[in-house]
Structure formats: C-alpha cells, structure tokens
DNA sequence: ATAATTAAGTGGTCTGACCACTTATAATAT
DNA sequence: ATATTATAAGTGGTCAGACCACTTAATTAT
C-alpha cells in the first residue's frame, strides 16, 4: 500500500543501518543532522522528522550544542505517549480509575516477596506521617511499594494514571485501607490482595 | 530535566486537546498542517515533526492532497519499529514480560464476574481450536478475555506488550494453562488467579 | 445538465536563514 | 611557557518561503 515511501522513513532505515554497522550502543553519538542530510542528499527537515519521531519514542536523546545520542530504550515513554492519545478516544474516567486500582494490586503482588522488615517499617512511617495530605499519602505509599516491586515500566504506567486521576478526581481512602495493605505485606497473604477495593 | 520544552512537544499536547475538545474519533480529519502552524503561531516544520512522530506510532494517517486523519492505534507499527532499534535489552524485556503477565491476570479478574455461560463457551472454543498456533491461541484467548473485562485502556497496554513479546521471544504455554484459567473463570474463584504463572 | 477546466487546499520536500548552546581553537594576558 | 580569555566552528531548535504531487471544490465551456 505505501506506494511512495516517505523520506523520513528511509532515514529511519538508514539509521538502523548505521547503528548496526558502527555497532553503536546507548550513550554513543549519532551523526549530526546536517551530516546525515548531506550524506543522504536530502533536506535537513526530513532528517529531523525521523529523529524527532524516534526521540519521542525514547530511542534517542538530543542535547543542543552537543549532538544526538542513542539511549537505552525506556518503554514507559511509549506507553505514556499512547495513553495520552488513547485516553482521548475512550475517555472514560472509569477505565483509568479501574486500571489504576489493578496496577496498585499488581504492585503489592510484585513487592510482597521482596520486602524485608526495614521495608515494611518504612511503609509504616509513610502511613503515620501526619504531614501528608490524603493524596500525597496515596502517592508516596504506592510509589514506595512500586519501588520494591522492581518493575519500572509498571510504575511509570501507574504514575501516569495516578497523575491523571489527581487532576480529575480526588479519590481518597481511609487510613485503614493502607494499614490493611501493610498487614497483607507483612503476613504475605497474597490471596487477600484481591479483596482490596472490593467495597469501592 | 527538560529545561526547555520543544515546540513539537507542545504541538502534541495541543493536538490531544483538540482531539478531546472536538471529540474526534478514528477516521476523522485533523486540522491541516498549515492551519495548526498558523493557529499556534509556529513554523510548519515544527507541526510536521509532531505529526510525523505520531504517524510513525500509527496514531494518525496522512493522505496527500486530502489531509491527516486520526486512526485506530495499531500497536504492531510501534513494535516493528522498536524491534529494529532496540538491542535486546534484558531488563526492558524482563519488565515487559512481567508486566504483561500482570495485565493478563488483571484481565481475568476484571472478566470473571462478567462472563456468562455463552462467554465461557466461546473461550472453550478458542482453546480447542486446532487451527491456531500457540501464539495465536494466547493472543486470541486474552484478547477475548479482555473484551469481557471492559477496560479498553488496559487492553491497549497489554496489546502493545503482547506484540512486543511476540517479536522478541516465543513464550508459549501448554494447553493446561488455558484450561486452568477457563476453570477459574467458570468457578469464579478469584483468589486462584494469583497462583497463575507461579511456576514460570 | 453535463463535462472539461481551473483554482484552492493539503501533504511532501528542500533551501537557507537565524538563534542558543557546547566544544574546540586561537589569541591574549600573566 | 602557562593559564586565562576570546573567538570560531559545530550542533540542535526553529522559522519562512518556495516548489511539487495530489485531491477536491469551484468555475467555465459545451
């Protein structure tokens, strides 16, 4: 179907080639925009279209005055971006809130076997921190749990939803809710996780 | 860290706004490049950088002479692209696989109370369809379950991960795995969901 | 009324021009 | 000679304007 391949698409292929040939790794510098335009005999704007596209994906990083660098792909970039658009079509707050809850359960499940006594204590400290607002508590609490879960991708997805929900709705939970989770984490009773949120 | 936000990033935000306000759906036309440039008082090239980026993602479609159109997000576009660039980063892979499993559990949990006998039967049909490869089975199976879960957002996120995993690794499960899930869905024993994948 | 022609609109691409910033080089002061 | 400073070169960020190819709407000729 693509009767005519766009120039920036070719640039992408060319760049893959360059990366492969020169065995470039994350952190390495890519050829400059002007060099690429010159070498491929195309306009710089076309090169930029390609670069901006994969920059948005999180594949490269640009530093003004220095150059363009390959970077470690961070999948959350993509997810964040897509979420931002997909949310528009199916703009159901309900879905976001629901998804957020599911991810919070996931976080607990991932963390439950990775938390030692010190970790559990730090959780308690957050729960009992009187300086935090309800929203801040929720935020800190789960951010902390996610950190033990060791899945940055899930954390970033949750982060997005959490930020979104903050801007839309103020969903607060009583302190019992957090204590209950702390208890589950302590006793490591996985199966109790699914009982959370049930009365929402 | 992003001390200065790039113009094309602003354009993306603006476009999300426009889509939201005008309630645009897949198939609908977006404002033209020249119009956007004029309205936002920026150069057309900056608008194009933004458009080309999300075009690459498969979020929009452009037809020369006609315009730019919103389209249903097809994650395989992204996946294809990433596969070409991402050198099998182990940790990224691990996180995506793990996150995918969690989302599959979520799908089951969301669907469990929404599936009637007919739904359960349709699941059985997929499991016993001999025409499907292992990968296809997994794909269809969970896509189906997600459809009952009624959370399109979670489905889309899973979809991305599933496509990614397909392009990287062939993670297959025995048929028992799916029968086990079908059984859980039938008996509606939520707590058994957490035992899934445990031997992986 | 119908068909052919024209004009207007839209994406695709290139060129050339600045700006802001970083790094390497050259000039200067010590 | 060395250290400091000033300059130049390189790089990404952005814009304006120009064509081209293509589609659609408007106009004109039949």
């Amino acid at each position: 179907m693509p009767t005519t391949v766009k120039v920036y698409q070719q640039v992408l292929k060319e760049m893959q080639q360059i990366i492969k040939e020169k065995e470039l790794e994350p952190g390495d510098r890519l050829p400059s925009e002007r060099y690429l335009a010159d070498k491929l005999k195309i306009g710089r704007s076309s090169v930029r279209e390609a670069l901006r596209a994969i920059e948005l994906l999180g594949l490269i990083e640009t530093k003004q005055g220095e150059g363009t660098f390959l970077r470690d792909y961070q999948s959350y970039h993509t997810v964040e971006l897509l979420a931002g658009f997909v949310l528009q079509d199916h703009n159901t707050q309900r879905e976001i809130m629901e998804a957020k809850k599911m991810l919070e359960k996931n976080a607990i499940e991932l963390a439950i076997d990775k938390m030692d006594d010190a970790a559990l204590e730090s959780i308690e400290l957050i729960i009992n921190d009187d300086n935090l607002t309800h929203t801040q508590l929720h935020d800190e609490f789960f951010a902390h749990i996610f950190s033990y879960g060791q899945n940055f991708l899930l954390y970033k997805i949750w982060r997005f939803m959490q930020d979104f929900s903050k801007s839309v709705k103020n969903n607060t939970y009583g302190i019992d809710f957090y204590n209950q989770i702390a208890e589950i984490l302590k006793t490591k009773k996985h199966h109790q996780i699914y009982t959370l949120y049930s009365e929402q």
Side-chain angles (χ1 to χ4, degrees), chain A:
Chain A
M1 356 307 208
T3 57
T4 53
V5 181
K6 290 171 188 166
V7 177
Y8 87 95
Q9 309 259 27
Q10 296 174 245
V11 177
L12 289 174
K13 284 201 172 182
E14 190 68 24
M15 289 193 51
Q16 290 185 2
Q17 198 65 26
I18 291 174
I19 292 169
K20 204 173 190 173
E21 281 176 4
K22 298 196 175 180
E23 297 183 15
L24 299 182
E25 292 179 13
D28 290 345
R29 222 194 102 198
L30 291 167
S32 75
E33 298 177 353
R34 288 176 177 84
Y35 172 85
L36 280 172
D38 205 59
K39 185 193 169 194
L40 304 180
K41 299 187 204 318
I42 58 178
R44 193 180 148 212
S45 54
S46 290
V47 175
R48 280 187 63 83
E49 287 181 7
L51 288 176
R52 254 12 81 209
I54 60 177
E55 177 186 57
L56 193 65
L57 275 176
L59 286 170
I60 60 173
E61 189 177 9
T62 53
K63 297 174 187 170
Q64 191 174 157
E66 296 183 58
T68 306
F69 302 84
L70 208 54
R71 77 186 272 181
D72 250 329
Y73 172 59
Q74 306 287 319
S75 42
Y76 67 85
H77 275 275
T78 319
V79 177
E80 256 184 2
L81 184 71
L82 293 177
F85 275 93
V86 173
L87 285 181
Q88 314 301 327
D89 320 29
H90 318 272
N91 196 355
T92 45
Q93 256 174 250
R94 196 211 99 243
E95 288 200 357
I96 302 166
M97 298 305 177
E98 183 177 76
K100 189 166 85 77
K101 288 177 190 171
M102 299 307 281
L103 291 187
E104 287 168 357
K105 288 190 193 182
N106 294 155
I108 298 168
E109 190 177 341
L110 286 174
I112 200 165
D113 290 320
K114 296 179 184 124
M115 292 180 77
D116 54 21
D117 290 346
L120 291 169
E121 205 165 323
S122 65
I123 289 286
E124 296 280 1
L125 279 178
I126 295 177
I127 297 178
N128 296 317
D129 188 342
D130 292 331
N131 295 324
L132 299 175
T133 67
H134 281 213
T135 308
Q136 285 174 329
L137 168 58
H138 193 86
D139 221 304
E140 295 257 339
F141 183 81
F142 278 106
H144 210 69
I145 290 181
F146 266 107
S147 73
Y148 287 105
Q150 300 196 43
N151 192 306
F152 201 63
L153 173 59
L154 278 176
Y155 168 69
K156 290 304 281 187
I157 299 173
W158 172 79
R159 181 76 263 163
F160 174 83
M161 295 175 182
Q162 170 66 7
D163 290 341
F164 182 90
S165 81
K166 276 195 292 192
S167 72
V168 168
K169 210 174 179 178
N170 242 5
N171 227 358
T172 60
Y173 301 89
I175 203 160
D176 285 347
F177 173 75
Y178 303 99
N179 278 323
Q180 196 182 340
I181 294 175
E183 187 63 24
I184 293 175
L185 287 170
K186 210 171 294 173
T187 57
K188 303 200 188 306
K189 291 184 177 172
H190 305 66
H191 61 279
Q192 288 190 355
I193 298 175
Y194 87 91
T195 64
L196 292 167
Y197 301 95
S198 50
E199 65 291 328
Q200 293 289 320

